[in-house]
Amino acid sequence: MNLRLCAAAILSLLTISSVQAQVRAPSRLPDPRTEFVRQCAPRMLGRWEHPEEVCGCLHDHAAAVVEDRDLREALLRGISETGVPTIETDWVPAAKQSEIGATFTKIAKPTLQCMFDPAKS
């Protein structure tokens, strides 16, 4: 009887410890902005004096003016992959491809501001 009681106590302690460990250590998802800057900055090296600043500014100001999620994600992908604002048509649903030109018009001013004077954005 004592053996069963001890085994049950040990099993319950292990279960409680396991649950507490899961509660204390939630999975850490990368911050989307930080991940974008991490991917973007190497593309900006040699072009700009402070690549992280330029990438952060593009994320926070240029891409932020794009309300449509699909267009915004495509723009962020283009910047992080090429180092310049670009959107490939196959990155955007067919129904929204006609909005790509207007999106570039919308981001022109904040993009130039980010690239040439990111501290003022």
Side-chain angles (χ1 to χ4, degrees):
M1 181 71 174
N2 283 340
L3 183 61
R4 287 184 188 171
L5 188 57
C6 286
I10 290 173
L11 183 59
S12 65
L13 285 174
L14 289 174
T15 304
I16 290 170
S17 296
S18 173
V19 169
Q20 286 176 343
Q22 290 175 359
V23 171
R24 275 189 246 135
S27 64
R28 298 198 183 224
L29 298 174
D31 171 35
R33 182 186 188 278
T34 303
E35 184 62 19
F36 170 77
V37 171
R38 186 190 69 74
Q39 291 177 1
C40 170
R43 308 267 187 240
M44 299 294 182
L45 288 174
R47 295 182 189 179
W48 309 105
E49 192 173 332
H50 304 285
E52 291 84 7
E53 249 181 68
V54 172
C55 291
C57 182
L58 288 170
H59 182 277
D60 296 346
H61 299 286
V65 300
V66 180
E67 295 91 15
D68 183 85
R69 180 180 176 182
D70 293 323
L71 290 165
R72 184 173 193 274
E73 287 178 8
L75 176 63
L76 290 171
R77 178 179 175 183
I79 294 169
S80 66
E81 289 183 7
T82 66
V84 295
T86 186
I87 298 175
E88 296 289 332
T89 54
D90 59 331
W91 296 345
V92 180
K96 296 179 182 178
Q97 290 177 1
S98 63
E99 299 172 41
I100 293 173
T103 299
F104 282 116
T105 300
K106 184 181 267 189
I107 68 162
K109 185 176 180 179
T111 297
L112 290 172
Q113 185 74 42
C114 287
M115 293 183 154
F116 293 104
D117 200 358
K120 288 186 178 180
S121 293

